[in-house]
């Protein structure tokens, strides 16, 4: 269940004179089954090609985001931004932007090459060392698949020829141990279908707190959202603008005539319309921009609503999924897109 801390409308706050303490008091949060509540809007740190962005640029944008009021940050081993995020958080504390790391919500993810029993805990410990932190707020299994172990645990090399079936029960039991040890306050998954969540829940002693998946007006995830609500799992949206700049993206979302029309009628940007739509579904949402004004613009979604007509029109858009066949291969455990997504390619199936 989402909650809103404070009562002053965000429309009364000048984005040019944004007070991060005011924003922190206004940021809606979602209560999870484990750990502290998750701020409903978080900032992602992935950029493509992975690891190609200048570390100083990433660090600077994280600091700018903290200044703007962001308190939720998302990284992953494969993004190669864990150490950069940790440096930015440490500097933010030194500069007094936040009193301590505890004021922030930090998520990272287990890469497929480390998704093996006996390798989950070492992977999390490596992430914590890089981030100079004692714990994460949320640790996710990045994808429901594994890859053959590399000799170098720091290697992020990816080859479809090396894909193997994940020992989901063995990996999840070690994820649970990470939480019991206090190295992460909550555990969850990413890119899991209803069917894969059902399998996981059949043996889990600690249920996943969240499932991070692609969500935007063309990938609405209605079936998965209802399933997660029923099971007490918070849905968290990535690529809310269609994943522009990623290998799987196209410009359909940002070029959509309907979304442009709604944005014009509401006096908002297309990005704000998309983010507001995701927010109204009850999802948390991960946004990403290295542009200072857009960082602040992305927070301007709380003091207005889409109309019922807007929502109905968005519901008629044709559905597609961008992250479709990344882990599908003729020699791998999932040989077709339907096998990987369990037939849940569109959100209503």
């Amino acid at each position: 269940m989402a909650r809103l801390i404070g009562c002053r409308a965000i429309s009364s706050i000048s984005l040019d004179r944004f007070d991060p303490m005011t924003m922190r008091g206004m940021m809606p949060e979602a209560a999870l089954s484990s750990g502290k509540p998750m701020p409903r809007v978080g900032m992602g740190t992935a950029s493509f090609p992975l690891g190609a962005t200048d570390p100083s640029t990433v660090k600077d944008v994280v600091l700018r985001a903290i200044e703007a009021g962001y308190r939720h940050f998302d990284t992953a081993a494969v993004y190669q931004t864990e150490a950069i995020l940790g440096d930015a958080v440490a500097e933010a504390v030194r500069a007094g932007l936040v009193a301590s790391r505890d004021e922030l919500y930090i998520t990272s993810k287990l890469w497929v090459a480390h998704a093996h029993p006996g390798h989950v805990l070492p992977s999390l410990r490596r992430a914590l060392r890089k981030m100079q932190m004692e714990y994460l707020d949320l640790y996710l299994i990045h994808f429901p698949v594994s890859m053959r172990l590399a000799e170098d645990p720091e290697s992020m090399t990816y080859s479809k020829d090396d894909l193997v079936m994940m020992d989901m029960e063995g990996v999840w039991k070690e994820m649970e141990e990470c939480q019991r040890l206090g190295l992460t306050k909550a555990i969850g998954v990413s890119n899991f279908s209803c069917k894969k969540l059902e399998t996981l829940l059949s043996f889990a002693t600690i249920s996943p707190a969240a499932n991070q998946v692609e969500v935007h007006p063309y990938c609405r995830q209605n079936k998965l959202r209802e399933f997660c609500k029923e099971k007490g799992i918070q849905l968290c949206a990535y690529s809310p603008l269609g994943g522009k700049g990623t290998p799987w993206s196209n410009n359909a979302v940002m070029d959509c005539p309907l979304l442009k029309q709604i944005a014009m009628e509401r006096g908002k940007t297309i990005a704000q319309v998309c983010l507001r739509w995701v927010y109204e579904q009850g999802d948390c949402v991960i946004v990403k921009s290295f542009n200072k004004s857009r960082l602040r613009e992305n927070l301007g979604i709380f003091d207005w609503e889409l109309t019922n007509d807007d929502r109905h029109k968005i519901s008629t858009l044709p559905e597609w999924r961008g992250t479709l066949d990344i882990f599908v291969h003729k020699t791998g455990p999932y040989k077709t897109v339907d096998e990987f997504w369990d037939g849940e390619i569109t959100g209503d199936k």
Side-chain angles (χ1 to χ4, degrees):
M1 179 181 294
R3 63 179 186 174
L4 182 62
I5 308 301
C7 58
R8 187 149 61 94
I10 285 180
S11 57
S12 67
I13 303 171
S14 168
L15 289 179
D16 292 329
R17 296 178 290 103
F18 219 98
D19 179 355
M21 294 303 291
T22 302
M23 186 62 235
R24 187 183 62 167
M26 294 300 302
M27 176 66 78
E29 298 175 324
L32 305 185
S33 59
S34 299
K36 67 188 181 188
M38 177 189 289
R40 290 283 303 278
V41 177
M43 182 190 158
T45 60
S47 59
F48 296 87
L50 291 169
T53 304
D54 182 2
S56 64
T57 300
V58 180
K59 181 179 178 180
D60 181 65
V61 78
V62 170
L63 288 167
R64 287 176 181 269
I66 293 174
E67 288 177 330
Y70 288 81
R71 293 296 181 267
H72 176 185
F73 293 89
D74 182 89
T75 183
V78 74
Y79 299 167
Q80 301 172 53
T81 55
E82 290 173 323
I84 305 166
L85 177 57
D87 286 343
V89 169
E91 185 166 323
V93 173
R94 287 194 298 270
L97 296 177
V98 289
S100 72
R101 174 262 177 269
D102 295 343
E103 291 190 10
L104 303 176
Y105 195 99
I106 307 296
T107 298
S108 192
K109 307 178 195 74
L110 175 73
W111 181 230
V112 295
H114 309 138
H116 298 271
H119 294 270
V120 178
L121 189 54
S123 182
L124 175 52
R125 291 190 189 279
R126 280 194 301 272
L128 292 173
R129 283 196 299 271
K130 290 177 182 178
M131 289 189 277
Q132 309 163 63
M133 295 179 186
E134 295 181 354
Y135 70 93
L136 295 179
D137 293 289
L138 180 64
Y139 195 44
L140 304 176
I141 297 175
H142 207 156
F143 287 93
V145 67
S146 296
M147 197 168 72
R148 290 187 182 90
L149 285 167
E151 291 184 11
D152 178 6
E154 296 290 343
S155 173
M156 295 297 147
T157 302
Y158 165 68
S159 170
K160 285 191 173 187
D161 291 327
D162 292 330
L163 293 173
V164 295
M165 185 66 74
M166 183 173 69
D167 177 355
M168 191 184 296
E169 184 169 2
V171 168
W172 189 252
K173 286 189 181 303
E174 197 162 339
M175 293 284 287
E176 292 178 333
E177 183 64 13
C178 290
Q179 181 169 329
R180 291 191 185 99
L181 290 171
L183 299 178
T184 182
K185 302 301 182 183
I187 52 177
V189 297
S190 183
N191 299 295
F192 271 53
S193 65
C194 296
K195 183 176 180 180
K196 288 182 175 64
L197 282 171
E198 281 184 329
T199 299
L200 189 153
L201 290 169
S202 70
F203 50 70
T205 58
I206 300 175
S207 295
N211 184 17
Q212 189 181 120
V213 296
E214 179 181 359
V215 182
H216 49 73
Y218 282 91
C219 184
R220 294 185 286 277
Q221 300 282 16
N222 293 334
K223 178 182 176 181
L224 181 61
R225 183 176 297 106
E226 287 306 309
F227 179 88
C228 286
K229 284 181 181 178
E230 179 186 332
K231 303 298 183 182
I233 301 169
Q234 177 64 44
L235 209 64
C236 191
Y238 69 75
S239 296
L241 308 183
K244 190 171 183 178
T246 65
W248 58 84
S249 73
N250 59 48
N251 295 325
V253 174
M254 298 303 287
D255 291 343
C256 174
L258 171 62
L259 296 175
K260 287 181 179 180
Q261 178 187 355
I262 293 172
M264 183 178 65
E265 291 173 353
R266 303 292 151 253
K268 305 297 178 182
T269 65
I270 295 174
Q272 286 174 320
V273 168
C274 293
L275 297 176
R276 177 68 201 187
W277 178 84
V278 174
Y279 174 75
E280 289 187 4
Q281 309 312 303
D283 304 344
C284 294
V285 58
I286 303 299
V287 301
K288 198 208 81 173
S289 176
F290 286 2
N291 179 282
K292 183 178 179 180
S293 63
R294 284 197 291 270
L295 272 175
R296 296 171 182 267
E297 175 189 294
N298 288 340
L299 294 177
I301 64 170
F302 303 121
D303 64 332
W304 60 281
E305 294 182 355
L306 294 167
T307 67
N308 287 333
D309 188 49
D310 293 339
R311 298 181 191 107
H312 171 71
K313 288 177 179 176
I314 289 172
S315 73
T316 66
L317 290 172
E319 288 213 65
W320 53 265
R321 185 191 295 266
T323 49
L324 199 61
D325 62 353
I326 299 172
F327 295 100
V328 173
H329 192 253
K330 61 183 179 181
T331 64
Y334 302 108
K335 295 173 175 56
T336 67
V337 168
D338 262 359
E339 284 183 5
F340 186 83
W341 294 109
D342 299 306
E344 301 170 27
I345 297 172
T346 60
D348 294 321
K349 284 191 175 181

